[in-house]
Every structure is written in structure tokens, then in C-alpha cells.
Amino acid sequence: MMSKDWAVLQGAFLLADKLCLPSSLSSLQKADWSKVGNPVLDAVKEISRLNENPSSSTVGWIKKTVCAVWLKLLCREAGEDVETSWRENPFFSLQNGLPEVNHVVLLEVVKSLEAAQIFARLLLYLPQSQICTELDRLVQHVRSSPATQDDVRLFLDVWWELWKGRDEKKAGEEDNVEKMFAGQFARLSSESPGLTQQAAKRFKLDPADLPASSPNNDVLQILLQALKEIKHLIPTTDLCLQALSISLDALYTAFLIEQAVVLPTKDKLSVLSKAVSIREKNSDKLSPELIQEAQRDLHASHTPSQFQPSRMKFGDALKIITGLVEFWKNSGLLKVCESSASSRSAFKLEQSVQRVLTGLHATEEADNMTEKNSLRDLLVSLAFPAIESTADVNSRVTAMIISHHLDDYQDFAMLFASEMSWASCSEHWMDCLEKNQAAFQHPDTLIKLTSTLMSKLQGESTDVSQCRKLMKVLADIFSALSSQDKNKVVAAMLRLSSRGFFGRSVPSPVTDGFEQELNMAFNCIIQGGGGVAASQSNLNSAVSLVARVAYQNPEAALRSCCHSAVFNKSAFSLMAKILQQLPGLRGQRGREYAAQSDEEESVDELNSPLCRCLLEIINTKSLSANEKEQFLKFLSLLMMPVVSVEGGERNESFLPPQEVVNIFVLPHLSSTGRGSLDSELSVKLLHAALCVDVQDEASSPHWVMDCSPFPLLYVLAQLQNQTLRCWEQPPEGDVNHWSMDTKELLVSVLTMLGQLVGAEVSAAPSRWSRPLFWLYNKMEELDWTVRFHLKPVWREHFKNEVPSALLAVCDLPEQEWSGLDLPQYGPGTGLLAWMECCSVSDSLQSTMLARLSLDRRRPDHVSMFSKGLLVALSQTLPWCSLSQWSRLLSVLKELITSNRLHVPFSLEYVDYLPLLDLRKFSCELRLSVLLLRVLQLLCGSSCSDWLSGDGWAHVGRLYAHAVRDMMTSVRAKLHLPSSGALNVSTADPSCTSVTSPKDSVMDVRPAEDQMKVEEGEGERAPGQEVLFVLSQLFCHVQHIQVMMPGGQSEPLFLSCLEILSHYEAVMAAFPNSSSALESENTRHFFSTITANLENEEMKAVLRQKIAQLVSSAA
């Protein structure tokens, strides 16, 4: 640690010691320092001047000097051994070269070098008892003659530095000198416990204040008592104001507050700016150090003191300070004139007085009222000059705090962002913002900046280049935020304006720049990661791009998202994922928005921004079928609940189902089918919304009850009623919008909605009784079968109303069923109503089968029933949806197997009686014949004009479904216990996949043995019977295809191909099931049947398939 500079300093101390002759520095009196101290002071100044960084070097050398002199004294007091000292004392080389000194030298060095802050910082490393000892010495030194202003100023500076405490910001940056001083003192204390007890002789206190037998460790009491003793040594107003300010702050922080007082940032800035203004008037230059000092003063004035009183009472402190105020006031030292406006002491005293007056007013204790009132009156009587700070100073101080990350810089960044008047000082404000973006990376701060920029954009004189620059800076700040904070800012932007910075008229260059960024962002997303399998990193990048433009203009970003989702192929999935990561774009909706809006808004304005953008698309463009599908899938994904990005456990939908229903279903769903959205798409959206599980189990009622559920049910019932006659020719000028797929969808939606509404009605029947009766009465206008779909709504409230003719063929209890006199259901139509009931639902089908009135023991009854059922089936078939037709097929099978339906099977496609056992396939064969008879009736001259082309196509699809059902049943009876299943692919009817003999472990025993086994296995159907059944099915299908108007039913053509594929597979699996002659006859027979087809392409394909069939058998 020894150096050339330190040798110079040691020489200066030795010279000072010689100047004391015949005495020495160890016995120096205070009055003699001025005679001998100059060599030391000159040496410190010279050393500092010669160093590269004079300012930091000066502080460093002063600190080293104070430490060395102080430790020299402490080592002497502790009686440290030299042998120990040179090994363990890092200051040994410095101290050893110094002459012996006393405390006068130490304190005079501190005073002369203006080192009160350094002295106080070192004091804070000592235990409180030692601090009190050193303060006693300081007070004794100040009071000793000659006592000057500098002595008093030293005392006050040390007091206030102690009160400010160690700088928390620098607490982890203590230099080595301070650490070594603290370590050396700790070592000396442990080796010499008496060190801390060797207090100097203290000044005499009042006996009532301190018993003579115990040491005083109350720092506040020592300081206040000392100030009381030296009050007459304060000759100037400035020093008096400083002393009173410090004593009042000590009173306030020791007695009047229990926790730190948190000032609003604006109040802090006001104090700091006024302090800076005063310093600037006194030729000080604004600097981080100057502001930091003012901040430390402010912090110390509002934080409970670390030196809480242990002996001094509040009343005693009040008495001392009151006495001081009276003394100085009587001395004329408290007359603050206008010239004191530039005095720091006057300003600090004004702040201290205000704090103490506030603190005294807040105390509710009745004790010491006299003292409190006396002090209050004295303080109120003081007058102070007004000190103002300008907006320029406020702005510069705030910018300095932000730039150097001083205390509370983020709070000041918030203030900086919100002060519009500072933003008008464009260059300075903009420069600070651009260079300190990290300080503004807080959502609340950015929201304030956003409001400021919007105000600038809407101002009368807008600097375009500056606004564009500022918008880019804010977008960069936004991009650096976390996902959670981004959503918070976007949500705030939406509350300010759905169009962000472009909510009002904005200069075109600003708008053009944004449009370019918007287009580039979405082009990049669509071209770079629009696929379904986009990686998570691509998704995150896409979310960031959309979030950035959404921050600037939420509505434009949403519009682009919606446009891409609807019109870019397969982009809907990516766009939905992006929006689900940006819940801040949801915005406020509906009643929530209306409740917070003071202005009158249109209905569109009450919708969420996303819904407004989607409505804009469907209102301005006619969507193709593919675009409608993407629109539907996009909204379905947005309605799906996802885990919130904020980390919450609750699942949320970006687009709540009730909002979709209220905006895209209710206004567009009508029985006329007119609207910007066709009714079929509206029903699909409603179905998607009802399928989303977002309802909280604890919440009631269900969200659907906020969507006009009863009128909605009525309109859906009207639409369902229209689909019952979908093949009828619509009135002239109208277009038929309905298909059987829509009918299926309507039934599903009616059922789901009915169950939800029914549950709410059941939970509170009195609440919903009126709308329930209204809905039931409205059903009188519609077909009687529609009411069954609403049975879950009214449950047991009303009877089941059916045509009276149904009651003639069904034994239904009167308590639950009642008849209706309907003109279209006259005598003999009971079976028609029965068939319609069977097709409505599974439960109703079971009831109809169980309650059917038919005596199977009466052949005439069964015959009459069978004939009537044939007619009823021909009337019902064309209007059935696929699910209804499936129910009717199961009814027909049940009636056939239970011998209630008589269907004679005639061999009209064979010339001879086959010697086969067809009992296992009797149901399939009779069902096929029954359907043939039904189609013969439908295709006859009396009914051929009954259906439109679409109707006949639908009948063909239903019949093809029945054929596939029968083939499935036949295949199920072909499985052999000892072999693999016979596999024929039904995915593509024209292609057949047959399990190879090797794969299926086909039984390859001789035909005779195999026949014996087959005869012994009653559960196994031989190949011949199956081939016969398939040939009959093929003939029936071909017969019907030729009969049907047009003769080009593709579903029937595909059914024929599938039958032939099965036929080929069975022949391959059972080679002995058909001889060569039989195969040839089959080929000829099939070809003859096929020749009746009118479509040459279908005929050619079937003949090719038949040829392959025969060649395969060979």
C-alpha cells in the first residue's frame, strides 16, 4: 500500500510535527492547527493534482488519510503490539511512518479537508457505543476554543450524513479502504475489548437526563444536547437554518413516523427540481451526483432513523427544539428574506417544517400537548420565499434520473412518459426516450407513452418525421416486453382506440409506413409458416409480428388475421393459434363495453373488434363454399378454451360462444333464409358454439340463456319444419337452401339446445313458464313431428300430440298421448304416422315398436299390415335423413325377424331352384326384396313425377346405404372360426382388398373334407349361399338403377362395384363354391342385367369388373 505519494504525505505530517516544537502533534491544541496543518493540506492537494483523475483521486486520498490517522489513534488506544500489527494491519506501513497524533489532529484534518461525509461513512462501520464515543469527542472538539462556524458546520454535516446512512446503491461497492478500516476496527475490538469503553470525557449533561453511572448510547440525545449547548456558536442565518432543518428532520424521523413515507413521484420531482434550481443558481452544474445527493436527502427525511432514541423522550426533544427555535428567533437568525430564495438551507428548512407540522397534526396522543402547540406556533410563524421550478428543469432532472438509473428511475420513466408538456420539447424528450428504451419497458409506462403519442398525432401541428420515429421507438419497446405485458398493453390500446394510433386523422406518410409494415408482417407469416404443422418457434415469431402491428393498430391487425384465415387456404388454423396467444386483442364486449362507455355507440361498435372485422368480411364479400368452411373452422377454433398465457389455470376462449351466437347466428338466422350469412352456415356456427365446453359448472344459468333461447328454438323449429318438405318446388323466385345434411344438423342443434334450455327450465320452472308456454303455442303452426325434438324443453309439462290415426295402430296411454285431427292424416294413414315416429328418435322408435297393435296370430292382419307398411315406407323414404333412414332400417329388420312383417321372396332372377340353405340370410333377402318393391312403387308412373332430381339423388344415396348395411350383415355371417376374417375395403368401393390365403390361414383341406366340416358347423355359412345372396343384391340394385329417373345414380353404381368386389373375394376365398359352368352363367347373367343401363361409362366399368370376376374364378 506504500507509494511515492504516501511518502510525500508522511513527510508532510512529520513536517507538521516539527512545526509543533517544543510540543508535538500528539498533544496538539485546536488553536495551533492553523499554524502547523498547512503542510498536510498542501500535500493532499498536490498529490490529487498530479493524478490522472483529480476528482476521484482527491476523495480517495482524503479517505486514506482519515483512515490512517484514525487507525493510528485506535491502535494506540488498544495498545496493539507492533509484532502483531505489521503482520495483520494492512495500514501498518502507512501508520508506522506517521508521527503520534491526537483526536484534535483527526478532527481538524476532517474539517480542513471537508471530509464530513467520509468521516460519517466510517463511523457507520462502528458499533453504536463507539459511535457515541466518537460523537462525544467531536462535540467536545467543536465546543473547545476557538469555536468557529466551520466547527459547527462540521458537526451538522456529520449529523446529517449519519442520518442519511450508508448509500444503499453503493453498499455493495464499498472500496477496499473502507473494508480494511472496518476489518481492522473489528480485529482491534476483539483483541482489546476495552477499546469501545474508552470514551473521552463527555460534556456535562443535566442529572435528570443521564445518570452519571451509565454511559449514554442514545445518538439523538447526544446530538440534540450538543446542539443545545452550542446554539450560541451559530452566528449566521444560513447555518441557523441548516441546524434547525436537521434537528426537525431528526425529530420527525425518530418520533413522528413508524415507517417510510412514500411520496408520489410528482412530489419527489418537485422537491428535486427545486433543489437543483437552487444549486444551479449557485453555479453548480446539473449532474447525476447532484441529483443523487438530493435524493439521499429526501430519502433520509422520510425514513425512520436507524438511531432510534433509547433514553430521550418525545417531550424532551420537543422542549430542546422549541428552545432552539425561540433562541434563534429572538436572535433574529430566523428572518428569511427574499435573497434567501437561492439558499439550500432555507428550502430544506421549509420542507422540514411542513413535514413536522404534518406529523404533529397526525399524532393523536394527549401527552406533551403544551410542547407540541408551542413548537407548532413557532414553526407556523416562520415565513419562506416561494421557490419555483420550470418544466425544463423538471424534464432535465427526470431525464438525468432515467439515463443514469438513479433511485426510482422506473417511476420517473412513467412520469416522463405521461407529461405531454415535456414531449413538446421534442429533441431533448425524444433523445432521452430513444437512448433509454429499457427504462420504459414496463406496460404501464408504455401505455402512458402511447397516450402521449396519440395526443401528438392528433395535435394541430404534427411533426411527421418525429411521429414516425417515435412510433418506431414505442414499437421497439413493445417488442421487448414479455407476452403477458404485451397483452396488457394491447388491451389498454384497445380501450383507448380500436384503431390505435390511427383512431383519427393521421398524416398519410405515417399511415403508409404502417401499411407497409402490416403487409410485410402477414406476408412473412403466410409464406413462412402458414402450414398446419408450423413449429413452435415459427408460431412464436408469428405471434410477435402480429402483436407488434396490433399494438399500433389493433383493428387493422385483426382485419388482416380474419382476411388471411378466411381467404388464404388452410391459414385459419395458424391465425387462430396466433390470436389465442394474444388475449389482449379480445377487447371489451357487449354489456361490459356499454356499461363503461359514456358515449352513444352503434350496435356494431358494441361488438368486439374481432367480430366487427368478421362482420365486415361477410357483409362486403360473397363467400365461396371453401371460404365459408374456413370461416366456420376459424370461429370454431377461437371458441375452443385454451390455457391463458398469463399462467392462470382457468381456460378461456378468445371468442366466447355466446358472442358468436348473438352476433353471427341470431341476426342472420331466419325462416326466409335471407341474410349476409346463409342460414345453413348460421346453424353450423350455432352447432359449433353448443359443442364448446366453456360453461363453469358452478355458474348458473347457462350462457345460452343470454342468447334469446326460446325465439331461437322457434326459428330452428321453423327451419326444421321447412326441411320436412325439402324436395317440394319452392315458390317462384325463391331458392331452396335446404339439404338433408342441414336437416341432420338442425335435429342435432335442436336436441342439444333443447337439453340445455330444458335443464334451466327444470331448475327454475316458475321463472321460465311464460316463454315455455309461448314456445309450445308457436309449435301449433308447425308439423307435429317437430314437437318431439323439443321434448327435452318441456319434458312432462305437455302430452305428446300425434295424429289421431296413429292411435288406431298403437296402444298408447292416454295420460301421456293425445290425438290431433289433422286433415292430411285421414283414415288408413296410421302406419304413415307410425313410420314417421319411428324415424324421429331412438327412444320414440322403441316406444312405437313396443306399442304396435298387431295380432301375429291373424294372417289377414299381418298381410294387411305388410301391405300398408309398404305404402307408408314409400311415402316416408324420400324425406328421411341418413340417421332417420338408419332407424327405419332397424325397424324393418326387427319387424321381419319377429314375423310381424311378411315379405314373400320370389326367385325372379333365376331359372332353376338352387339347392341351398338360405335361412341364415332370410332377413337380408327379404329386406332387399321389400326395398325393391318400395322403389318399384316410387318409380312407377303414378309417382315418377313426385320428386325432383335432387330428391331422386337422395333416394339413391339412402338405398345405397341400405345395400352397404345388408352387405355388412352378410359379411359378418361369413367369418370362419378357424381362419382370418374376410376383408374387403369399403373405403373405395371400386377397390377390393382381400386377405391372402397365407395371411388369413385359409383352410386348404380337400373339398370333400371341407364340406363335411361345413355340414357339421352350424354357425358357418358356405360360400355358395353367400354368392347367391350377393347375386340377388346385385340384380336388385341394377333393377332399381335402371328404373330410377335418369338411371345414372352414382351411389347405386358404386354399390354394384362393391357387390362385385365382395363376390370376387368370396370366390377367391372359396374356390369350390362355383364351378366353371356356373361362373360362366353368372358372367353372362350379370352382363345381361348390366346391358339395361343407359350410361355407357358405367356399363363399361361394370362389364370390365364382371370380366375380372370370372377370370379370377377360373
Side-chain angles (χ1 to χ4, degrees), residues 553-725:
N553 189 337
E555 195 168 282
L558 283 170
R559 189 181 294 112
S560 295
C561 281
C562 295
H563 190 277
S564 298
V566 175
F567 298 108
N568 287 78
K569 187 176 181 180
S570 301
F572 63 88
S573 176
L574 177 61
M575 292 300 137
K577 289 178 181 177
I578 291 172
L579 290 181
Q580 285 168 341
Q581 296 296 311
L582 296 172
L585 277 173
R586 285 196 296 249
Q588 294 172 307
R589 341 175 159 77
R591 282 176 282 185
E592 178 187 357
Y593 179 88
Q596 297 186 18
S597 178
D598 295 330
E599 300 177 6
E600 292 186 4
E601 300 284 353
S602 66
V603 174
D604 285 345
E605 289 297 320
L606 294 179
N607 297 332
S608 68
L610 174 67
C611 290
R612 290 202 298 272
C613 293
L614 290 169
L615 284 172
E616 181 181 325
I617 289 177
I618 63 178
N619 288 331
T620 55
K621 295 190 178 183
S622 178
L623 302 182
S624 65
N626 183 60
E627 289 163 353
K628 288 180 182 177
E629 186 68 19
Q630 295 212 148
F631 180 87
L632 173 62
K633 289 180 179 178
F634 181 52
L635 265 64
S636 299
L637 288 173
L638 291 181
M639 285 189 286
M640 295 298 294
V642 293
V643 177
S644 172
V645 295
E646 283 78 0
E649 298 180 357
R650 189 168 62 92
N651 290 346
E652 291 186 281
S653 300
F654 188 91
L655 188 59
Q658 61 266 39
E659 190 169 1
V660 173
V661 173
N662 284 320
I663 295 173
F664 297 101
V665 176
L666 296 182
H668 303 278
L669 193 62
S670 69
S671 58
T672 61
R674 295 186 176 90
S676 49
L677 269 185
D678 61 70
S679 295
E680 185 171 1
L681 181 55
S682 296
V683 174
K684 288 179 179 178
L685 285 172
L686 177 57
H687 182 263
L690 293 175
C691 287
V692 176
D693 182 20
V694 296
Q695 182 71 15
D696 187 356
E697 293 182 3
S699 64
S700 184
H702 194 277
W703 62 261
V704 80
M705 303 308 285
D706 292 328
C707 301
S708 305
F710 292 96
L712 179 57
L713 282 168
Y714 174 56
V715 173
L716 291 172
Q718 284 182 304
L719 298 179
Q720 171 66 10
N721 187 67
Q722 291 178 11
T723 62
L724 297 178
R725 299 292 178 262

